Amino acid sequence: MTSSSAQSVVIMGGGVAGLSAAHELLKRGYEVTIIEKRETNFGGKARSIDYHPSQTRLTLPAEHGFRFFPGFYGNITRTMKEIKLHNNKTVFDNLVPVSYYTFLFTDDRKPVNVPVNIGHDVYGLHFGKAMNDLKALQRAFDDGTIDVSDSGRDFFIKRLFELFTACEERYLTEYERIPWEEFIEANNPNYGKDYKQLLAEGLTKNLVACRADKACTRTGGKILAHMIWQIINPFGTGADRVLNAPTNEAWLIPWVSFLKKTYPNTFTIESGKRVMKLDVKKKAITRKNDFISWERNTVDSISINDANDVGSAHTTVIGNNYIAAIPIERLSRLLNDSKLVVDMDPTLKLVEELAKQVEWMSGMVFYLNKDVQIADAHVTIANSGLAITIFSQTQYWQTYLQANPLPSYQDKPIKSILSIIVSDWNAKGILYPKICLKEMTHNQVILEVWSQLKCCTIFDSKSETYFKLTDDDCFLSLTFIDESIVNDRNRPGHLFNKEPLLVNTIVTNALRPDSHTRVDNLYLAADFVRTHSDLADMDTANEAARKAVNNILDKDGRKSEFCKTATYVLPTLLGLFSLARRFDKRNFQRGLPWRPFSPLLHFFNYSFIFFARVIKLPRPLILLSALLYLIVLAIILIINFLISVILNIFRF
């Protein structure tokens, strides 16, 4: 198979990165071929699944994992706005806001809601909702529902201040080496029993699928800083958004259809095909000691075969450029079978080491005969060792379900779908305390996770009542476990994950490759590529794809057509922290540790105390106090700006 175009690009992988690269290349007139191992369900880890439970004729919607679109995403959402739908809207319009991040507990404590749209509510003049949410959160601390001591609270606030005022250089070096657990002193017994569970494990396991003792502060700290800014930013889109239908229907199928319809002559998907090898047919000119000189540093073609038949004959695909948009563990195996490519670019040897930095962040879906609406929230079981995160899908799919109603089973209607993500499969359970999740059978995993769900007190936002789930509420026999979780053929009695997730552990940023390689026509576009967005997620995959495309455009002399990428600069809160970061950069260059910028730290502390007290006042006094605070804040911002101007003049 040979492309006739002088501007042909072959993309290995039809996940978010591969589709993003195709999207940008097709817009610029390139001929694109995607090689994807799946026959259907493109989108990689972002896909949803048409699930057919055994011994039934049912087809049920299931998710590989629930989709989380934070307000700070700046790459994938830009692409979503370009995917046009038939109703003159775009895929971006299928995103709907989520109001809370909710903590459940297995020890009979009532759930705690953390509002994630405070700034947006205030901007929309929903003062009552914002105040009630904050008061409810304050009560959870006051009545002991959340056990975090005053000293723990004060220390964490100081650490937050450090995250907002540290310079970028310190993030890239010092914070890269510090585990998040160590940075916030999660094991300090004086900080309360929930301090570690909520602020260390709650953040790292549930958002980045990583243990708090291994996750680097550079990643965890940046996520937290961006999330907090999105929560309080009155002009933002909110901290959390989800799709209003199964991922395939709301996003991925319309995306592929849009590309096929818009570019019928230049876009091809070779589905059901697996890339076996990167072919280099040219011989080395000289080979002396460990140095090899090549006639041309290029890949000549790739070999593919039937993904469902390993022994099938290989077919050759030729293009001018090649983009590897496949998971890190798959790329590692591909490079191991393509030794000449690694000889051309020895830095690709680091991919094998990076491929070891993966964790399981896979899930399951429970189908209920009970209408469950959990507080318009992403939900986590705070004290579960399994790091369980829950999302009630159906309450956001109402319009979709009117046209595609859920079926009945055993003469009972399916009313709710709970998507579950388990982020620590090395943890032991409460039903099976002697073995970890990876050592359980599929049925044991289902029963273990369900048993922990049943222990939690849940608030139903529809009926405004508290309840606990029972076995009668769930069709346990229909439960879906991620299709990537299979029995380990090499270790009987263990499970194996065919699609693990790369995580950002300490000192691994240097292992992450750039989107370009030393092979002149080979580029990388996946969530493991070094990007501004940093996480191994959809936005990183999209940014990596944009950078791979930019490299092709640069080589072709088309720099004016570069793709835009989000910078992910740390939020400055309207410039409030810019001066403090300037001083920290100066300290960093002198080899000094981070030191608090005292005037701003005092303002930060007094602000917290001020709002903690003001929130207990009657609403008219709250509004008056907030107005006075905004006046003081405006004065501080003006002073901060004037000092920055003076320092720029004198080049301080």
Side-chain angles (χ1 to χ4, degrees):
M1 184 189 310
T2 305
S3 171
S4 60
S5 173
Q7 292 183 320
S8 62
V9 182
V10 177
I11 299 174
M12 295 164 268
V16 170
L19 290 172
S20 298
H23 186 105
E24 298 299 330
L25 288 164
L26 290 166
K27 283 166 52 179
R28 291 159 175 82
Y30 286 85
E31 180 181 307
V32 176
T33 300
I34 289 180
I35 310 298
E36 167 57 36
K37 70 175 182 178
R38 296 183 182 278
E39 295 284 355
T40 56
N41 290 340
F42 305 123
K45 295 183 179 72
R47 71 189 183 277
S48 57
I49 297 147
D50 290 332
Y51 169 49
H52 305 284
S54 61
Q55 299 180 347
T56 75
R57 296 181 179 180
L58 300 178
T59 299
L60 299 173
E63 298 282 333
H64 176 74
F66 55 76
R67 302 275 66 77
F68 170 48
F69 294 85
F72 58 79
Y73 270 9
N75 296 300
I76 191 64
T77 48
R78 181 179 285 143
T79 298
M80 294 173 79
K81 291 176 182 178
E82 297 177 358
I83 304 171
K84 297 179 181 179
L85 301 174
H86 60 84
N87 55 3
N88 294 323
K89 293 185 177 181
T90 68
V91 164
F92 181 80
D93 295 313
N94 287 336
L95 292 177
V96 293
V98 173
S99 299
Y100 302 99
Y101 193 67
T102 296
F103 293 106
L104 301 182
F105 305 90
T106 59
D107 52 11
D108 291 328
R109 281 182 282 176
K110 291 183 178 180
V112 174
N113 292 331
V114 178
V116 297
N117 294 321
I118 292 296
H120 198 259
D121 287 341
V122 171
Y123 181 75
L125 302 181
H126 303 301
F127 297 111
K129 179 179 181 300
M131 291 302 103
N132 290 336
D133 287 343
L134 290 174
K135 286 181 178 180
L137 183 60
Q138 180 71 34
R139 283 196 299 271
F141 282 92
D142 293 342
D143 64 18
T145 302
I146 297 178
D147 182 8
V148 175
S149 66
D150 290 345
S151 59
R153 178 203 62 198
D154 294 342
F155 182 79
F156 188 73
I157 290 173
K158 183 179 178 181
R159 283 299 194 230
L160 281 182
F161 181 77
E162 180 175 344
L163 292 175
F164 275 106
T165 57
C167 63
E168 184 68 23
E169 292 82 358
R170 196 176 298 279
Y171 268 90
L172 292 173
T173 53
E174 181 179 335
Y175 296 163
E176 168 70 12
R177 301 190 299 269
I178 302 176
W180 177 250
E181 181 179 273
E182 180 182 318
F183 180 74
I184 65 168
E185 296 186 5
N187 294 311
N188 191 323
N190 298 320
Y191 291 166
K193 69 176 184 179
D194 289 332
Y195 182 82
K196 180 176 181 179
Q197 291 176 343
L198 299 184
L199 301 177
E201 296 171 350
L203 174 67
T204 57
K205 288 183 180 179
N206 295 301
L207 292 182
V208 296
C210 191
R211 288 168 47 182
D213 61 341
K214 292 186 176 182
C216 67
T217 299
R218 176 181 58 82
T219 298
K222 274 197 171 183
I223 292 173
L224 188 58
H226 281 292
M227 287 293 289
I228 290 174
W229 172 235
Q230 292 299 325
I231 289 172
I232 65 175
N233 181 10
F235 309 110
T237 57
D240 189 359
R241 296 162 297 185
V242 296
L243 291 165
N244 61 5
T247 307
N248 283 0
E249 281 69 21
W251 175 24
L252 297 175
I253 291 175
W255 194 3
V256 174
S257 299
F258 170 76
L259 294 178
K260 287 182 176 180
K261 181 179 178 180
T262 309
Y263 310 101
N265 299 321
T266 55
F267 180 48
T268 303
I269 296 182
E270 290 289 334
S271 58
K273 304 295 183 182
R274 184 187 298 272
V275 179
M276 303 302 295
K277 185 180 179 183
L278 305 176
D279 300 318
V280 178
K281 299 178 181 179
K282 292 170 280 297
K283 296 181 179 179
I285 298 176
T286 60
R287 184 186 293 265
K288 186 175 182 180
N289 297 329
D290 291 331
F291 179 78
I292 303 174
S293 177
W294 296 89
E295 179 185 358
R296 287 177 59 202
N297 280 5
T298 57
V299 171
D300 292 295
S301 62
I302 62 173
S303 295
I304 65 173
N305 73 345
D306 190 331
N308 299 313
D309 183 1
V310 178
S312 61
H314 288 199
T315 304
T316 297
V317 180
I318 299 175
N320 298 107
N321 296 287
Y322 302 87
I323 296 178
I326 53 180
I328 184 66
E329 69 279 1
R330 176 69 188 116
L331 178 63
S332 179
R333 294 194 296 269
L334 180 62
L335 292 175
N336 191 53
D337 294 331
S338 310
K339 296 293 188 182
L340 293 180
V341 173
V342 179
D343 288 341
M344 290 180 180
D345 185 356
T347 64
L348 292 174
K349 294 177 182 178
L350 296 175
V351 168
E352 183 176 1
E353 183 64 28
L354 184 63
K356 300 175 184 178
Q357 310 301 320
V358 294
E359 295 282 355
W360 293 22
M361 192 177 184
S362 302
M364 59 191 68
V365 179
F366 290 106
Y367 301 91
L368 310 183
N369 57 47
K370 182 184 184 72
D371 187 7
V372 176
Q373 297 193 20
I374 310 178
D376 186 14
H378 272 114
V379 183
T380 184
I381 303 180
N383 56 347
S384 169
L386 306 181
I388 297 174
T389 310
I390 309 162
F391 193 67
S392 178
Q393 302 277 185
T394 43
Q395 65 192 76
Y396 299 94
W397 292 357
Q398 293 301 314
T399 301
Y400 170 79
L401 291 176
Q402 289 177 6
N404 303 274
L406 294 171
S408 294
Y409 180 65
Q410 295 178 342
D411 298 325
K412 293 182 180 179
I414 297 175
K415 295 182 179 180
S416 298
I417 298 175
L418 296 184
S419 283
I420 311 294
I421 293 293
V422 179
S423 297
D424 193 345
W425 289 70
N426 293 308
K428 296 179 180 179
I430 56 176
L431 193 62
Y432 302 99
K434 295 184 178 181
I435 54 177
C436 69
L437 226 58
K438 289 181 179 179
E439 297 171 335
M440 297 182 189
T441 65
H442 283 79
N443 190 57
Q444 286 175 325
V445 170
I446 292 171
L447 294 177
E448 177 61 50
V449 174
W450 178 247
S451 69
Q452 298 203 21
L453 284 179
K454 289 192 298 180
C455 292
C456 298
T457 299
I458 299 173
F459 181 73
D460 185 358
S461 59
K462 186 175 182 180
S463 63
E464 297 187 350
T465 58
Y466 293 97
F467 71 96
K468 286 188 176 183
L469 292 167
T470 68
D471 288 340
D472 292 336
D473 296 327
C474 183
F475 299 109
L476 280 175
S477 62
L478 297 182
T479 303
F480 168 81
I481 290 188
D482 194 327
E483 58 188 0
S484 64
I485 305 297
V486 297
N487 293 318
D488 194 333
R489 292 178 296 180
N490 299 320
R491 294 194 303 166
H494 289 72
L495 298 176
F496 178 78
N497 191 345
K498 296 190 293 184
E499 296 183 84
L501 181 72
L502 178 72
V503 295
N504 293 53
T505 54
I506 55 174
V507 299
T508 57
N509 187 53
L511 297 176
R512 298 179 72 165
D514 292 305
S515 57
H516 59 82
T517 71
R518 295 182 183 179
V519 182
D520 292 341
N521 64 343
L522 177 63
Y523 307 93
L524 306 178
D527 58 11
F528 58 80
V529 172
R530 187 184 292 114
T531 60
H532 294 302
S533 46
D534 189 48
L535 267 178
D537 60 4
M538 296 179 291
D539 211 53
T540 294
N542 185 273
E543 182 184 343
R546 290 169 179 269
K547 290 188 171 182
V549 172
N550 285 348
N551 277 282
I552 294 174
L553 293 170
D554 181 63
K555 186 176 70 172
D556 291 345
R558 301 171 62 177
K559 297 182 180 181
S560 62
E561 300 179 53
F562 277 176
C563 307
K564 294 181 180 180
T565 58
T567 60
Y568 274 81
V569 174
L570 283 167
T572 63
L573 272 68
L574 304 177
L576 183 63
F577 295 129
S578 58
L579 190 60
R581 287 181 193 158
R582 187 171 190 152
F583 276 93
D584 185 57
K585 182 176 181 178
R586 193 166 181 238
N587 285 337
F588 178 83
Q589 291 171 340
R590 292 174 174 176
L592 301 176
W594 176 88
R595 291 171 179 168
F597 189 58
S598 297
L600 194 57
L601 178 60
H602 291 320
F603 175 74
F604 199 73
N605 286 331
Y606 287 135
S607 295
F608 182 84
I609 296 172
F610 174 80
F611 281 110
R613 293 180 178 177
V614 164
I615 198 172
K616 299 177 182 180
L617 299 175
R619 188 174 301 175
L621 291 179
I622 292 177
L623 296 177
L624 178 60
S625 300
L627 179 61
L628 293 174
Y629 180 83
L630 290 175
I631 293 173
V632 173
L633 178 60
I635 294 172
I636 292 175
L637 289 173
I638 292 172
I639 294 173
N640 191 77
F641 174 75
L642 292 175
I643 293 175
S644 297
V645 170
I646 292 172
L647 293 178
N648 283 332
I649 292 175
F650 291 98
R651 297 183 179 179
F652 177 77

